[in-house]
Amino acid sequence: MKASYWGSMKTVEHVQLVVMAFKLAAGCVEEPVLLHPFSLQGLHSLQALVPGLLRHEVELALEKLDLIWDRTYAWDIFLEMMRTQTQNSFPNADLPRHFTDATRAILVDWLIQVHELMSFQEETLYLTIHLLNRSLHHIKVATANLQLLGMVCLFIAAKKEECLLPEVSALCYLMDHTYTKHQLLRMERKVLCGLEFNLTHCSPLHFLILLASIARCSAKVVWMARYLLELSLLEGECVAFLPVQLAGAALCLSRRLLKEPPTPEGEAAWCLASSINVGSETALLRIMHILATAAAKAHSRETCATFLKFSSPETMNVSRHPELSNAPSLLGICT
């Protein structure tokens, strides 16, 4: 029997009962309606199909997370997030012929280290890797200039997300002055023109935080999910998946790993959060397999910046959790 992505919710009737219980607990009186959308078709009518409770929870979550200033527009912002994530998506994870997944992983790992050194926001990292992925598909870059391309993508992302920017000379210093200021600025123009100045990106981190808030996840579950989500940046196979799929898979795998005692309210909240996800169960399970395998081997890889980053007390030492070594076996993967 195929494993269920969302765990123990086996039937529609069970799901509806749980959602009704959550409605009663929340004091909602609207008629119970539940939708599990598996495609983006008809997204314009999502507001009419998704339960009123979900809309209420989305509004509360966005406000709680300081992602909006006015709840009046919360649902419209959520719908725009769902639409925007499909822009500049990738039909497959293929790289240009002279690049490999291993080369890309080394570059991403280095960018994670530079990002942490600069104390940039997490959104900057995710935008950086998104710009890098797009640049590799749209711009001709020699292998010798791959590090320069990565740094330029980080510089552009920082301009969009950060308040304070490093000097160009400081960026050249971090690359051991392999490239000059002129080369860096020329590459910046090349990237911006190649991407047609379109820097739009709906980060999977935003979806993760939103889902976790609606699902009433504990702090440790969220930190574990954030660790798994950042590991996805190193995996070339994950490029072809939508942000909401990556976020949902990371959160579900985190729950499976930590095995926190379930509560009626928690299960109901999790069921409600699951109705946001768009994508086939096969795709979501595939992502979980990729992340589980990556997490099991993260401590022994050369590209271990993310492992070290999430091994500190500030991140609840989630990358050192003993269950991670057994993560693939939870999904029936032989390693």
Side-chain angles (χ1 to χ4, degrees):
M1 181 181 295
K2 183 186 290 185
S4 172
Y5 166 65
W6 289 108
S8 62
M9 301 304 172
K10 301 291 185 183
T11 66
V12 173
E13 291 80 7
H14 189 185
V15 171
Q16 289 176 330
L17 288 173
V18 173
V19 172
M20 173 58 80
F22 189 75
K23 280 174 170 281
L24 293 174
C28 297
V29 294
E30 299 175 6
E31 290 296 320
V33 182
L34 185 65
L35 172 72
H36 289 273
F38 290 108
S39 73
L40 289 174
Q41 297 178 358
L43 189 58
H44 62 279
S45 61
L46 191 61
Q47 180 176 359
L49 297 174
V50 174
L53 177 59
L54 177 58
R55 175 171 180 165
H56 175 71
E57 289 297 313
V58 167
E59 290 174 350
L60 285 179
L62 289 174
E63 187 175 48
K64 177 183 176 182
L65 298 169
D66 291 328
L67 295 177
I68 59 169
W69 294 100
D70 188 344
R71 281 182 60 181
T72 305
Y73 306 104
W75 186 252
D76 291 328
I77 291 173
F78 167 68
L79 292 179
E80 186 62 23
M81 287 173 64
M82 297 297 286
R83 293 189 189 95
T84 302
Q85 68 167 336
T86 63
Q87 297 178 11
N88 303 313
S89 58
F90 302 93
N92 55 62
D94 294 342
L95 288 169
R97 185 174 301 176
H98 52 296
F99 293 130
T100 65
D101 284 338
T103 304
R104 179 188 172 279
I106 291 171
L107 176 60
V108 171
D109 185 75
W110 178 74
L111 287 171
I112 291 171
Q113 296 178 57
V114 174
H115 170 271
E116 189 172 15
L117 180 66
M118 294 288 186
S119 300
F120 285 156
Q121 299 181 74
E122 290 302 302
E123 290 82 358
T124 303
L125 176 61
Y126 284 89
L127 179 56
T128 297
I129 306 307
H130 176 71
L131 296 177
L132 175 64
N133 292 334
R134 287 179 60 201
S135 297
L136 289 174
H137 284 80
H138 293 95
I139 301 170
K140 291 184 178 180
V141 179
T143 305
N145 290 331
L146 193 56
Q147 185 184 33
L148 177 62
L149 174 63
M151 182 61 87
V152 164
C153 289
L154 179 62
F155 189 40
I156 294 173
K159 285 185 175 182
K160 187 173 185 290
E161 299 290 346
E162 304 291 336
C163 296
L164 299 175
L165 293 173
E167 295 288 340
V168 174
S169 58
L171 301 180
C172 293
Y173 172 77
L174 290 173
M175 295 184 288
D176 294 327
H177 295 288
T178 304
Y179 311 97
T180 65
K181 292 182 183 180
H182 177 70
Q183 286 176 304
L184 190 147
L185 295 174
R186 186 171 59 186
M187 178 64 80
E188 181 185 25
R189 289 194 296 273
K190 184 176 181 179
V191 169
L192 289 172
C193 291
L195 301 182
E196 299 180 343
F197 288 83
N198 181 2
L199 307 181
T200 302
H201 179 52
C202 191
S203 170
L205 183 62
H206 287 164
F207 281 110
L208 174 61
I209 294 173
L210 178 63
L211 284 168
S213 180
I214 294 173
R216 310 288 199 273
C217 293
S218 68
K220 190 157 190 175
V221 167
V222 175
W223 276 117
M224 179 65 78
R226 289 181 67 163
Y227 169 56
L228 296 169
L229 188 63
E230 189 163 311
L231 285 179
S232 74
L233 297 178
L234 294 158
E235 301 300 318
E237 291 181 82
C238 290
V239 171
F241 296 106
L242 293 175
V244 72
Q245 293 175 316
L246 294 169
L251 196 57
C252 184
L253 182 56
S254 174
R255 280 168 50 94
R256 288 196 182 187
L257 287 167
L258 297 178
K259 301 174 184 176
E260 294 185 343
T263 63
E265 182 181 357
E267 291 301 301
W270 177 250
C271 176
L272 185 63
S274 74
S275 67
I276 291 179
N277 281 275
V278 178
S280 68
E281 183 175 316
T282 301
L284 296 172
L285 284 171
R286 176 58 186 154
I287 300 170
M288 291 172 65
H289 289 178
I290 295 170
L291 298 183
T293 304
K297 299 177 180 179
H299 67 283
S300 60
R301 288 182 172 177
E302 292 183 4
T303 52
C304 59
T306 296
F307 172 81
L308 296 175
K309 177 179 175 181
F310 284 86
S311 65
S312 66
E314 291 78 10
T315 59
M316 303 184 76
N317 308 105
V318 290
S319 68
R320 297 186 183 277
H321 195 282
E323 282 297 321
L324 286 172
S325 59
N326 301 318
S329 64
L330 291 176
L331 302 173
I333 306 172
C334 297
T335 57

